[in-house]
Coordinates of all heavy atoms in Angstrom, one line a residue:
M207 N 19.3 22.7 42.4 CA 18.6 22.1 41.3 C 18.3 20.7 41.7 O 19.1 19.9 42.2 CB 19.4 22.1 40.0 CG 18.7 21.6 38.9 SD 19.7 21.8 37.4 CE 19.8 20.1 36.8
A208 N 17.1 20.2 41.5 CA 16.7 18.9 41.9 C 17.2 17.9 40.8 O 17.2 18.2 39.6 CB 15.1 18.8 41.9
S209 N 17.7 16.8 41.3 CA 18.3 15.8 40.4 C 17.2 14.9 39.9 O 16.2 14.5 40.6 CB 19.3 14.9 41.2 OG 19.8 13.9 40.4
K210 N 17.3 14.5 38.6 CA 16.3 13.7 38.0 C 16.5 12.2 38.3 O 15.6 11.4 38.3 CB 16.2 13.9 36.5 CG 15.8 15.3 36.1 CD 15.6 15.5 34.7 CE 15.1 16.9 34.4 NZ 14.6 17.1 33.1
I211 N 17.8 11.8 38.6 CA 18.1 10.5 39.0 C 18.7 10.5 40.4 O 19.5 11.4 40.7 CB 19.1 9.9 38.0 CG1 18.5 9.7 36.6 CG2 19.7 8.6 38.5 CD1 19.3 9.3 35.5
K212 N 18.2 9.6 41.2 CA 18.7 9.6 42.6 C 19.3 8.2 43.0 O 19.1 7.2 42.2 CB 17.5 9.8 43.5 CG 16.9 11.2 43.4 CD 15.8 11.5 44.4 CE 15.3 12.9 44.2 NZ 14.3 13.2 45.2
V213 N 20.0 8.2 44.0 CA 20.6 6.9 44.5 C 19.5 5.9 44.8 O 18.5 6.2 45.5 CB 21.5 7.1 45.8 CG1 22.0 5.8 46.3 CG2 22.7 8.1 45.4
G214 N 19.7 4.7 44.3 CA 18.7 3.6 44.6 C 17.7 3.5 43.4 O 17.0 2.5 43.3
D215 N 17.7 4.4 42.4 CA 16.9 4.2 41.2 C 17.4 3.1 40.3 O 18.6 2.9 40.3 CB 16.8 5.5 40.4 CG 16.0 6.6 41.1 OD1 15.2 6.3 42.0 OD2 16.1 7.8 40.6
T216 N 16.5 2.5 39.6 CA 16.9 1.5 38.6 C 17.0 2.2 37.3 O 16.0 2.9 36.9 CB 15.9 0.3 38.5 OG1 15.8 -0.2 39.8 CG2 16.4 -0.7 37.5
V217 N 18.1 2.1 36.6 CA 18.3 2.8 35.3 C 18.8 1.8 34.3 O 19.3 0.7 34.6 CB 19.4 3.9 35.5 CG1 18.9 5.0 36.4 CG2 20.7 3.4 36.0
R218 N 18.7 2.3 33.0 CA 19.2 1.5 31.8 C 20.2 2.4 31.1 O 20.0 3.6 30.9 CB 18.1 1.1 30.9 CG 18.6 0.4 29.7 CD 17.4 -0.1 28.8 NE 16.7 -1.1 29.4 CZ 15.4 -1.4 29.1 NH1 14.7 -0.7 28.2 NH2 14.8 -2.4 29.7
V219 N 21.3 1.8 30.7 CA 22.4 2.5 30.0 C 21.9 2.6 28.6 O 21.5 1.6 27.9 CB 23.7 1.8 30.1 CG1 24.8 2.5 29.3 CG2 24.1 1.6 31.5
I220 N 21.9 3.8 28.0 CA 21.4 4.1 26.7 C 22.5 4.4 25.7 O 22.2 4.5 24.5 CB 20.4 5.2 26.7 CG1 21.0 6.5 27.2 CG2 19.2 4.8 27.4 CD1 20.1 7.7 27.0
A221 N 23.8 4.4 26.1 CA 24.9 4.7 25.2 C 26.2 4.1 25.7 O 26.3 3.9 26.9 CB 25.0 6.2 25.0
G222 N 27.1 3.8 24.8 CA 28.4 3.3 25.3 C 28.5 1.8 25.1 O 27.6 1.1 24.6
A223 N 29.6 1.3 25.7 CA 29.9 -0.2 25.6 C 28.9 -1.0 26.3 O 28.7 -2.2 26.0 CB 31.3 -0.4 26.1
D224 N 28.3 -0.5 27.4 CA 27.4 -1.2 28.2 C 25.9 -0.9 27.9 O 25.0 -1.1 28.7 CB 27.6 -0.9 29.7 CG 29.0 -1.5 30.2 OD1 29.2 -2.7 30.0 OD2 29.8 -0.7 30.7
K225 N 25.7 -0.5 26.6 CA 24.3 -0.2 26.2 C 23.3 -1.3 26.5 O 23.6 -2.5 26.3 CB 24.3 0.2 24.7 CG 23.0 0.7 24.2 CD 23.2 1.1 22.8 CE 21.8 1.6 22.2 NZ 22.0 2.1 20.9
N226 N 22.1 -0.9 27.0 CA 21.0 -1.8 27.3 C 21.2 -2.6 28.6 O 20.3 -3.4 29.0 CB 20.7 -2.8 26.2 CG 20.2 -2.1 24.9 OD1 19.5 -1.1 25.1 ND2 20.5 -2.6 23.8
N227 N 22.3 -2.4 29.3 CA 22.4 -3.0 30.7 C 21.6 -2.2 31.7 O 21.5 -1.0 31.6 CB 23.9 -3.0 31.1 CG 24.7 -4.1 30.3 OD1 24.1 -4.8 29.5 ND2 26.0 -4.1 30.6
E228 N 21.1 -2.9 32.7 CA 20.3 -2.3 33.7 C 21.0 -2.5 35.0 O 21.7 -3.5 35.2 CB 18.9 -2.9 33.8 CG 18.1 -2.6 32.5 CD 16.8 -3.4 32.5 OE1 16.4 -3.9 33.6 OE2 16.1 -3.4 31.5
G229 N 20.7 -1.6 36.0 CA 21.3 -1.7 37.3 C 20.8 -0.6 38.2 O 20.1 0.3 37.8
K230 N 21.2 -0.7 39.5 CA 20.8 0.2 40.5 C 21.8 1.3 40.7 O 23.0 0.9 40.6 CB 20.5 -0.5 41.8 CG 19.8 0.2 42.9 CD 19.4 -0.7 44.0 CE 20.3 -0.5 45.1 NZ 20.0 -1.3 46.3
V231 N 21.5 2.5 40.9 CA 22.4 3.6 41.0 C 23.0 3.5 42.4 O 22.3 3.5 43.4 CB 21.7 5.0 40.8 CG1 22.7 6.1 41.1 CG2 21.2 5.1 39.4
L232 N 24.3 3.4 42.5 CA 25.0 3.2 43.8 C 25.5 4.6 44.3 O 25.4 4.8 45.5 CB 26.3 2.3 43.6 CG 26.0 0.9 43.2 CD1 27.3 0.1 43.0 CD2 25.1 0.2 44.2
S233 N 25.9 5.5 43.4 CA 26.3 6.8 43.9 C 26.2 7.8 42.7 O 26.3 7.4 41.6 CB 27.8 6.8 44.5 OG 28.7 6.5 43.4
I234 N 26.2 9.1 43.1 CA 26.1 10.2 42.1 C 27.1 11.2 42.5 O 27.2 11.6 43.6 CB 24.7 10.8 42.1 CG1 23.6 9.7 41.7 CG2 24.6 11.9 41.1 CD1 22.2 10.2 41.8
D235 N 27.8 11.7 41.5 CA 28.7 12.8 41.6 C 28.1 14.0 40.9 O 28.2 14.1 39.6 CB 30.1 12.5 41.0 CG 31.1 13.6 41.2 OD1 30.8 14.7 41.8 OD2 32.2 13.5 40.7
H236 N 27.4 14.9 41.6 CA 26.6 16.0 41.0 C 27.5 17.0 40.3 O 27.2 17.6 39.3 CB 25.7 16.7 42.0 CG 24.6 15.8 42.5 ND1 23.5 15.5 41.8 CD2 24.5 15.1 43.7 CE1 22.7 14.7 42.5 NE2 23.3 14.5 43.6
K237 N 28.7 17.2 40.9 CA 29.6 18.2 40.4 C 30.2 17.8 39.0 O 30.2 18.7 38.1 CB 30.8 18.4 41.4 CG 31.8 19.4 41.0 CD 32.9 19.6 42.0 CE 33.9 20.6 41.6 NZ 35.1 20.7 42.4
N238 N 30.5 16.5 38.8 CA 31.0 16.1 37.5 C 30.0 15.4 36.6 O 30.4 14.9 35.6 CB 32.2 15.2 37.8 CG 33.3 15.9 38.5 OD1 33.7 17.0 38.1 ND2 34.0 15.2 39.4
H239 N 28.7 15.3 37.1 CA 27.6 14.7 36.3 C 27.9 13.3 36.0 O 27.8 12.9 34.8 CB 27.4 15.5 35.0 CG 27.1 17.0 35.3 ND1 26.0 17.5 35.9 CD2 27.9 18.1 35.0 CE1 26.1 18.8 36.0 NE2 27.3 19.2 35.5
R240 N 28.3 12.5 37.0 CA 28.6 11.1 36.8 C 27.9 10.2 37.8 O 27.6 10.7 38.9 CB 30.1 10.9 36.8 CG 30.8 11.6 35.7 CD 32.3 11.5 35.7 NE 32.8 10.2 35.2 CZ 32.8 9.8 33.9 NH1 32.3 10.6 33.0 NH2 33.3 8.7 33.5
V241 N 27.6 9.0 37.4 CA 26.9 8.0 38.2 C 27.6 6.7 38.2 O 28.3 6.4 37.2 CB 25.4 7.8 37.8 CG1 24.6 9.0 38.0 CG2 25.3 7.3 36.4
V242 N 27.5 6.0 39.3 CA 28.1 4.6 39.4 C 26.8 3.7 39.5 O 26.0 3.8 40.3 CB 28.9 4.4 40.6 CG1 29.4 3.0 40.8 CG2 30.1 5.3 40.6
V243 N 26.8 2.8 38.5 CA 25.6 1.9 38.4 C 26.1 0.4 38.6 O 27.2 0.0 38.1 CB 25.0 1.9 37.0 CG1 23.8 1.0 36.9 CG2 24.6 3.4 36.6
E244 N 25.4 -0.3 39.4 CA 25.7 -1.6 39.9 C 25.9 -2.6 38.6 O 24.9 -2.7 37.8 CB 24.6 -2.2 40.8 CG 24.9 -3.5 41.4 CD 23.8 -3.9 42.3 OE1 22.6 -3.6 42.0 OE2 24.1 -4.4 43.4
G245 N 27.1 -3.2 38.5 CA 27.3 -4.1 37.4 C 27.6 -3.6 36.1 O 27.7 -4.3 35.1
V246 N 27.7 -2.2 36.0 CA 28.0 -1.6 34.7 C 29.3 -0.9 34.7 O 29.7 -0.3 35.7 CB 26.8 -0.5 34.4 CG1 27.1 0.3 33.1 CG2 25.5 -1.2 34.3
H247 N 30.0 -0.9 33.6 CA 31.3 -0.3 33.4 C 32.3 -0.9 34.4 O 32.9 -0.1 35.2 CB 31.2 1.2 33.5 CG 32.5 1.9 33.0 ND1 32.9 1.9 31.7 CD2 33.4 2.7 33.7 CE1 34.0 2.6 31.6 NE2 34.3 3.1 32.8
M248 N 32.5 -2.2 34.4 CA 33.4 -2.9 35.3 C 34.9 -2.7 34.9 O 35.2 -2.8 33.7 CB 33.1 -4.4 35.4 CG 31.7 -4.7 35.9 SD 31.3 -4.1 37.5 CE 32.2 -5.3 38.5
V249 N 35.7 -2.3 35.8 CA 37.1 -2.1 35.6 C 38.0 -2.9 36.6 O 37.5 -3.2 37.7 CB 37.5 -0.6 35.6 CG1 36.8 0.2 34.6 CG2 37.2 0.0 37.0
K250 N 39.2 -3.2 36.2 CA 40.1 -3.9 37.1 C 41.0 -2.9 37.8 O 41.5 -2.0 37.1 CB 40.9 -4.9 36.3 CG 40.1 -6.0 35.7 CD 41.0 -7.0 35.1 CE 40.3 -8.1 34.3 NZ 39.3 -8.9 35.0
K251 N 41.0 -3.0 39.1 CA 41.8 -2.1 39.9 C 42.9 -2.9 40.7 O 42.6 -3.9 41.3 CB 41.0 -1.3 40.9 CG 41.7 -0.3 41.7 CD 40.8 0.6 42.5 CE 41.7 1.5 43.4 NZ 41.0 2.7 43.8
H252 N 44.1 -2.4 40.6 CA 45.2 -3.1 41.3 C 45.3 -2.5 42.7 O 45.5 -1.3 42.8 CB 46.5 -3.0 40.5 CG 46.5 -3.6 39.1 ND1 47.1 -4.8 38.9 CD2 45.9 -3.2 38.0 CE1 46.8 -5.1 37.6 NE2 46.1 -4.2 37.1
T253 N 45.3 -3.4 43.7 CA 45.3 -2.9 45.1 C 46.5 -3.4 45.8 O 46.9 -4.6 45.6 CB 44.0 -3.2 45.8 OG1 43.9 -4.7 45.8 CG2 42.8 -2.6 45.2
K254 N 47.1 -2.6 46.7 CA 48.2 -3.0 47.5 C 47.6 -3.7 48.7 O 46.5 -3.4 49.1 CB 48.9 -1.8 48.0 CG 49.8 -1.1 46.9 CD 50.4 0.2 47.3 CE 51.4 0.0 48.4 NZ 52.1 1.2 48.8
P255 N 48.3 -4.6 49.3 CA 47.9 -5.2 50.6 C 47.7 -4.1 51.7 O 48.5 -3.2 51.8 CB 49.0 -6.2 51.0 CG 49.7 -6.4 49.7 CD 49.6 -5.2 48.9
S256 N 46.6 -4.3 52.4 CA 46.3 -3.3 53.5 C 45.7 -4.1 54.7 O 45.6 -5.3 54.6 CB 45.4 -2.2 53.0 OG 44.1 -2.8 52.7
M257 N 45.3 -3.4 55.7 CA 44.7 -4.1 56.8 C 43.3 -4.7 56.5 O 43.0 -5.8 56.9 CB 44.5 -3.1 58.0 CG 45.8 -2.6 58.6 SD 46.8 -4.0 59.2 CE 46.0 -4.4 60.7
Q258 N 42.6 -4.0 55.6 CA 41.3 -4.5 55.2 C 41.4 -5.7 54.2 O 40.7 -6.7 54.2 CB 40.4 -3.4 54.6 CG 39.9 -2.4 55.5 CD 40.9 -1.3 55.8 OE1 41.8 -1.1 55.1 NE2 40.6 -0.6 56.9
N259 N 42.4 -5.5 53.2 CA 42.6 -6.5 52.2 C 44.0 -7.0 52.4 O 44.9 -6.5 51.8 CB 42.4 -5.9 50.8 CG 42.5 -6.8 49.7 OD1 42.6 -8.0 49.9 ND2 42.5 -6.3 48.5
Q260 N 44.2 -8.1 53.0 CA 45.5 -8.7 53.4 C 46.3 -9.1 52.1 O 47.5 -8.9 52.1 CB 45.4 -9.9 54.3 CG 44.7 -9.5 55.7 CD 45.7 -8.8 56.6 OE1 46.9 -8.9 56.5 NE2 45.1 -7.9 57.4
N261 N 45.6 -9.6 51.1 CA 46.3 -10.1 50.0 C 46.6 -9.1 48.9 O 47.6 -9.2 48.2 CB 45.5 -11.3 49.3 CG 45.4 -12.5 50.3 OD1 46.2 -12.7 51.1 ND2 44.3 -13.2 50.2
G262 N 45.7 -8.1 48.8 CA 45.9 -7.2 47.7 C 45.5 -7.9 46.4 O 44.7 -8.8 46.4
G263 N 46.0 -7.5 45.3 CA 45.8 -8.1 44.0 C 44.9 -7.3 43.1 O 44.8 -6.1 43.2
I264 N 44.2 -8.0 42.1 CA 43.4 -7.3 41.1 C 42.0 -7.4 41.5 O 41.5 -8.5 41.7 CB 43.7 -7.9 39.7 CG1 45.2 -7.7 39.4 CG2 42.8 -7.2 38.7 CD1 45.6 -8.5 38.1
V265 N 41.3 -6.3 41.7 CA 39.9 -6.3 42.1 C 39.1 -5.7 41.0 O 39.5 -4.7 40.3 CB 39.7 -5.4 43.4 CG1 38.3 -5.3 43.8 CG2 40.6 -5.9 44.5
E266 N 37.9 -6.3 40.7 CA 37.0 -5.8 39.7 C 35.9 -4.9 40.4 O 35.3 -5.4 41.3 CB 36.4 -6.9 38.9 CG 36.1 -6.5 37.4 CD 35.8 -7.7 36.5 OE1 36.3 -8.7 36.7 OE2 34.9 -7.5 35.7
Q267 N 35.7 -3.7 39.9 CA 34.7 -2.8 40.5 C 34.1 -1.9 39.5 O 34.6 -1.8 38.3 CB 35.3 -2.0 41.6 CG 36.3 -1.0 41.2 CD 37.0 -0.2 42.3 OE1 37.2 -0.8 43.4 NE2 37.3 1.0 42.1
E268 N 32.9 -1.3 39.8 CA 32.2 -0.4 38.9 C 33.0 0.9 38.9 O 33.5 1.4 39.9 CB 30.8 -0.2 39.4 CG 29.9 -1.4 39.4 CD 29.9 -2.1 40.7 OE1 30.6 -1.7 41.6 OE2 29.1 -3.1 40.8
A269 N 33.0 1.5 37.7 CA 33.5 2.9 37.5 C 32.3 3.8 37.1 O 31.3 3.3 36.7 CB 34.6 2.9 36.4
A270 N 32.6 5.1 37.2 CA 31.5 6.1 36.9 C 31.3 6.2 35.4 O 32.3 6.1 34.7 CB 31.9 7.4 37.6
I271 N 30.1 6.5 35.1 CA 29.7 6.8 33.7 C 29.0 8.1 33.7 O 28.4 8.6 34.7 CB 28.9 5.7 33.0 CG1 27.6 5.5 33.7 CG2 29.7 4.5 32.8 CD1 26.7 4.5 33.0
D272 N 28.9 8.8 32.5 CA 28.2 10.1 32.5 C 26.7 9.9 32.7 O 26.1 8.9 32.2 CB 28.5 10.7 31.1 CG 28.2 12.2 31.2 OD1 29.1 13.0 31.5 OD2 27.0 12.6 30.9
I273 N 26.1 10.8 33.4 CA 24.7 10.7 33.8 C 23.8 10.8 32.6 O 22.7 10.3 32.6 CB 24.3 11.8 34.9 CG1 23.1 11.4 35.6 CG2 24.2 13.2 34.3 CD1 22.9 12.2 36.9
S274 N 24.3 11.4 31.5 CA 23.5 11.5 30.3 C 23.4 10.2 29.5 O 22.5 10.1 28.7 CB 24.1 12.6 29.3 OG 25.4 12.1 28.9
N275 N 24.2 9.2 29.9 CA 24.1 7.9 29.3 C 23.2 6.9 30.0 O 23.2 5.8 29.6 CB 25.5 7.3 29.2 CG 26.4 8.1 28.3 OD1 26.0 8.8 27.4 ND2 27.7 8.0 28.5
V276 N 22.5 7.4 31.0 CA 21.5 6.5 31.6 C 20.1 7.1 31.6 O 20.0 8.3 31.6 CB 21.9 6.2 33.1 CG1 23.2 5.5 33.2 CG2 22.0 7.4 34.0
M277 N 19.1 6.2 31.6 CA 17.7 6.7 31.7 C 17.0 5.9 32.7 O 17.2 4.7 33.0 CB 17.0 6.4 30.3 CG 16.8 7.6 29.5 SD 15.9 7.2 28.0 CE 14.6 8.3 28.2
L278 N 16.1 6.6 33.4 CA 15.3 6.0 34.5 C 14.4 4.9 34.0 O 13.8 5.1 32.9 CB 14.5 7.1 35.2 CG 13.8 6.6 36.5 CD1 14.7 6.3 37.6 CD2 12.8 7.7 36.9
L279 N 14.2 3.8 34.7 CA 13.3 2.7 34.4 C 12.1 2.8 35.3 O 12.3 2.8 36.5 CB 14.0 1.4 34.5 CG 14.7 0.8 33.4 CD1 15.3 -0.6 33.8 CD2 13.9 0.6 32.2
V280 N 10.9 2.8 34.7 CA 9.7 2.8 35.5 C 8.8 1.7 34.8 O 8.5 1.8 33.7 CB 8.9 4.2 35.5 CG1 7.6 4.1 36.2 CG2 9.8 5.2 36.1
D281 N 8.5 0.7 35.6 CA 7.7 -0.4 35.1 C 8.3 -1.1 33.9 O 7.6 -1.5 33.0 CB 6.2 0.0 34.8 CG 5.5 0.5 36.0 OD1 5.8 0.2 37.1 OD2 4.6 1.4 35.8
G282 N 9.6 -1.2 33.9 CA 10.4 -1.9 32.8 C 10.6 -1.1 31.6 O 11.1 -1.6 30.6
K283 N 10.1 0.2 31.5 CA 10.3 1.1 30.4 C 11.1 2.3 30.7 O 11.0 2.8 31.8 CB 8.9 1.5 29.9 CG 8.0 0.4 29.4 CD 6.6 0.9 29.0 CE 6.6 1.8 27.8 NZ 5.3 2.2 27.4
T284 N 12.0 2.7 29.8 CA 12.7 3.9 30.0 C 11.8 5.1 29.8 O 10.9 5.1 29.0 CB 13.9 4.0 29.0 OG1 13.4 4.0 27.7 CG2 14.9 2.9 29.3
T285 N 12.1 6.1 30.6 CA 11.3 7.3 30.6 C 12.1 8.5 31.0 O 13.1 8.5 31.7 CB 10.1 7.2 31.5 OG1 9.3 8.4 31.4 CG2 10.5 7.0 33.0
R286 N 11.6 9.7 30.4 CA 12.2 10.9 30.9 C 11.5 11.3 32.2 O 10.5 10.8 32.5 CB 12.0 12.0 29.8 CG 12.9 11.8 28.6 CD 12.7 12.8 27.6 NE 11.3 12.7 27.0 CZ 10.7 13.7 26.4 NH1 11.2 14.9 26.3 NH2 9.5 13.4 25.9
V287 N 12.1 12.3 32.9 CA 11.6 12.7 34.2 C 11.2 14.1 34.2 O 11.9 15.0 33.7 CB 12.7 12.4 35.3 CG1 12.1 12.8 36.7 CG2 13.1 11.0 35.3
G288 N 10.0 14.4 34.8 CA 9.5 15.8 34.9 C 9.2 16.0 36.4 O 9.3 15.1 37.2
F289 N 8.8 17.2 36.7 CA 8.5 17.5 38.1 C 7.1 18.2 38.1 O 6.8 19.0 37.2 CB 9.6 18.5 38.7 CG 10.9 17.9 38.9 CD1 11.9 18.1 37.9 CD2 11.2 17.2 40.0 CE1 13.1 17.5 38.0 CE2 12.5 16.6 40.1 CZ 13.4 16.7 39.2
T290 N 6.4 17.9 39.2 CA 5.1 18.6 39.4 C 5.0 18.9 40.9 O 5.7 18.3 41.7 CB 3.9 17.7 39.0 OG1 3.9 16.5 39.8 CG2 3.9 17.5 37.5
M291 N 4.1 19.8 41.3 CA 3.9 20.1 42.6 C 2.7 19.3 43.2 O 1.6 19.3 42.6 CB 3.6 21.6 42.8 CG 4.8 22.5 42.5 SD 6.2 22.1 43.4 CE 5.7 22.8 45.0
D292 N 2.9 18.5 44.2 CA 1.9 17.8 44.9 C 1.6 18.5 46.2 O 2.3 18.2 47.2 CB 2.3 16.3 45.1 CG 1.3 15.4 45.6 OD1 0.1 15.8 45.5 OD2 1.6 14.4 46.2
G293 N 0.7 19.4 46.2 CA 0.5 20.2 47.4 C 1.6 21.2 47.5 O 1.7 22.0 46.6
D294 N 2.4 21.2 48.5 CA 3.5 22.1 48.6 C 4.8 21.3 48.5 O 5.9 21.7 48.9 CB 3.5 22.9 49.9 CG 3.4 22.0 51.1 OD1 3.2 20.8 51.0 OD2 3.7 22.5 52.2
K295 N 4.8 20.0 47.9 CA 5.9 19.2 47.8 C 6.2 18.9 46.3 O 5.3 18.7 45.5 CB 5.7 17.8 48.5 CG 6.9 17.0 48.6 CD 6.6 15.7 49.4 CE 7.8 14.8 49.4 NZ 7.5 13.5 50.0
K296 N 7.5 19.1 45.9 CA 7.9 18.8 44.5 C 8.2 17.3 44.3 O 8.9 16.7 45.1 CB 9.2 19.6 44.2 CG 9.6 19.6 42.8 CD 10.8 20.6 42.7 CE 11.2 20.7 41.2 NZ 12.4 21.6 41.1
V297 N 7.5 16.7 43.4 CA 7.7 15.2 43.1 C 8.1 15.0 41.7 O 7.8 15.7 40.8 CB 6.4 14.4 43.5 CG1 6.0 14.5 44.9 CG2 5.2 14.9 42.6
R298 N 8.8 13.9 41.5 CA 9.2 13.4 40.2 C 8.1 12.7 39.5 O 7.4 11.9 40.1 CB 10.5 12.5 40.3 CG 11.7 13.2 40.8 CD 12.9 12.4 40.7 NE 12.8 11.2 41.5 CZ 13.6 10.1 41.4 NH1 14.5 10.1 40.5 NH2 13.4 9.0 42.1
V299 N 8.0 12.9 38.2 CA 6.9 12.3 37.4 C 7.5 11.6 36.2 O 8.3 12.3 35.5 CB 5.8 13.3 37.0 CG1 4.8 12.6 36.2 CG2 5.2 13.9 38.3
A300 N 7.1 10.4 35.9 CA 7.5 9.7 34.7 C 6.8 10.3 33.5 O 5.5 10.3 33.5 CB 7.3 8.2 34.8
K301 N 7.5 10.8 32.5 CA 6.8 11.4 31.3 C 6.1 10.4 30.5 O 5.0 10.7 29.9 CB 7.9 12.1 30.5 CG 8.5 13.3 31.1 CD 7.8 14.6 30.9 CE 8.6 15.8 31.3 NZ 8.0 17.0 30.9
A302 N 6.6 9.2 30.4 CA 5.9 8.2 29.6 C 4.6 7.7 30.1 O 3.6 7.5 29.4 CB 6.8 7.0 29.4
T303 N 4.5 7.6 31.5 CA 3.2 7.0 32.0 C 2.5 8.1 32.8 O 1.3 7.9 33.1 CB 3.6 5.9 33.0 OG1 4.4 6.3 34.0 CG2 4.2 4.7 32.2
G304 N 3.1 9.1 33.3 CA 2.5 10.1 34.1 C 2.4 9.8 35.6 O 1.8 10.5 36.4
K305 N 3.0 8.6 36.0 CA 3.0 8.2 37.4 C 4.0 9.0 38.2 O 5.1 9.4 37.7 CB 3.5 6.7 37.4 CG 2.5 5.7 37.0 CD 3.1 4.4 37.3 CE 2.1 3.3 37.1 NZ 2.7 2.0 37.4
N306 N 3.7 9.1 39.5 CA 4.6 9.7 40.4 C 5.7 8.7 40.8 O 5.4 7.5 41.0 CB 3.9 10.1 41.7 CG 3.1 11.4 41.6 OD1 3.2 12.0 40.5 ND2 2.4 11.8 42.6
I307 N 6.9 9.1 40.8 CA 8.1 8.2 41.0 C 8.3 8.2 42.5 O 8.6 7.1 43.1 CB 9.3 8.6 40.3 CG1 9.0 8.5 38.8 CG2 10.5 7.8 40.6 CD1 10.0 9.2 37.9
D308 N 8.3 9.3 43.2 CA 8.6 9.4 44.6 C 7.4 9.1 45.4 O 6.3 9.7 45.3 CB 9.2 10.8 45.0 CG 10.5 11.0 44.3 OD1 11.2 10.1 44.1 OD2 10.7 12.2 43.9

């Protein structure tokens, strides 16, 4: 199944504590339907000292949110995503504007 949101897309959070925040999609977990968005749902993680992080301590990082809580941004507006065939290639289309996304 083709994903409507891909890594690198700009999205807006439409539900939850971080509602109306925008960011770039860093990663997607297709199996659990979750996405990690840059600067959204920040959590504190306690880390032990290691070779990469000599001091350890408390690190703030993004946590995953449900993919249903984000919407794709095209030209500054949230939009649903559809698919059309462009020749023999399947492309994503913004429902609000009708523009090709890919």
Side-chain angles (χ1 to χ4, degrees):
M207 184 173 124
S209 177
K210 295 186 177 193
I211 294 176
K212 296 185 178 181
V213 174
D215 285 346
T216 304
V217 294
R218 180 178 288 155
V219 180
I220 60 170
D224 291 306
K225 186 175 181 177
N226 294 327
N227 287 355
E228 297 174 9
K230 197 168 102 175
V231 175
L232 300 176
S233 66
I234 300 176
D235 181 4
H236 293 287
K237 184 177 177 187
N238 297 319
H239 308 290
R240 297 180 75 75
V241 293
V242 176
V243 181
E244 185 176 41
V246 174
H247 193 64
M248 300 299 285
V249 294
K250 293 184 187 303
K251 182 171 175 158
H252 297 257
T253 58
K254 289 172 66 173
S256 64
M257 293 303 284
Q258 289 83 15
N259 183 7
Q260 296 288 329
N261 295 331
I264 302 171
V265 178
E266 210 169 324
Q267 66 182 34
E268 294 95 354
I271 60 175
D272 199 88
I273 200 164
S274 66
N275 292 339
V276 297
M277 258 183 120
L278 186 67
L279 271 179
V280 177
D281 299 333
K283 296 174 70 175
T284 56
T285 181
R286 290 180 291 157
V287 179
F289 293 96
T290 59
M291 294 301 289
D292 185 23
D294 56 346
K295 187 175 180 187
K296 189 176 185 181
V297 294
R298 295 186 299 165
V299 175
K301 292 273 191 171
T303 60
K305 283 185 170 180
N306 283 357
I307 298 167
D308 296 326

